[in-house]
Amino acid sequence: MSIYLLFLVSTFSFAFKIDELEFGKIVEQNKKAEKTFTLTNNDVDTKIYRISIEGDKNIKVSPSLLNILPQQSKKFKLNVIADNIKGEHSYFLVIREVKKDKVKKDVGINEIIKIKQKYMIK
């Protein structure tokens, strides 16, 4: 399943496509799981995206910075090392477009999308 996101804020747009919305893995206690995502820049300009995780210290993302040419795609991975707490766990996958331009003196523009993710520890 693919999702297209386009957000307009003032005169700025934030457009990308991500091939998956959910991590959705079942992981055994103290084991690892990994999932690869593809992020596509749907804009006419090169974009820099910073990928991070919010709300779960057991999830790591790599690489965390993607420089993507117009209409091109790059992959990133999420890795979870399950702890001993069984059940459903949730966190946010945070995709931040890092703007190169400045709107006002010394003020950069960052646009952020947070996608809620889940995984299960059994």
Side-chain angles (χ1 to χ4, degrees):
M1 171 166 72
S2 295
I3 185 167
Y4 294 89
L5 298 173
L6 176 62
F7 294 86
L8 297 175
V9 178
S10 186
T11 58
F12 304 102
S13 66
F14 185 60
F16 67 85
K17 174 184 165 189
I18 188 165
D19 67 334
E20 291 282 337
L21 283 182
E22 297 182 18
F23 186 77
K25 297 276 186 176
I26 297 174
V27 188
E28 292 184 34
Q29 289 179 324
N30 300 311
K31 299 284 183 174
K32 297 179 183 180
E34 176 180 281
K35 186 165 186 176
T36 301
F37 291 80
T38 302
L39 191 67
T40 302
N41 174 4
N42 285 337
D43 202 51
V44 296
D45 297 316
T46 298
K47 300 288 184 177
I48 300 171
Y49 298 100
R50 182 173 306 280
I51 315 294
S52 62
I53 301 301
E54 190 175 285
D56 192 325
K57 65 182 182 326
N58 296 326
I59 305 282
K60 304 294 181 214
V61 61
S62 67
S64 60
L65 196 64
L66 300 174
N67 189 357
I68 308 177
L69 297 173
Q71 306 305 314
Q72 298 293 312
S73 300
K74 289 207 176 169
K75 296 184 182 299
F76 66 93
K77 292 180 182 180
L78 294 185
N79 294 286
V80 61
I81 300 174
D83 55 24
N84 290 321
I85 303 171
K86 290 184 178 181
E88 186 176 88
H89 296 259
S90 63
Y91 61 94
F92 287 97
L93 172 63
V94 181
I95 303 173
R96 177 186 311 247
E97 181 183 324
V98 181
K99 295 278 190 176
K100 297 178 190 175
D101 7 342
K102 304 283 185 184
V103 175
K104 295 181 180 176
K105 184 179 178 186
D106 299 325
V107 177
I109 299 286
N110 287 322
E111 298 189 39
I112 302 171
I113 300 299
K114 293 182 180 183
I115 303 170
K116 189 168 186 176
Q117 302 284 298
K118 295 179 184 177
Y119 65 98
M120 180 73 73
I121 297 178
K122 66 173 191 168

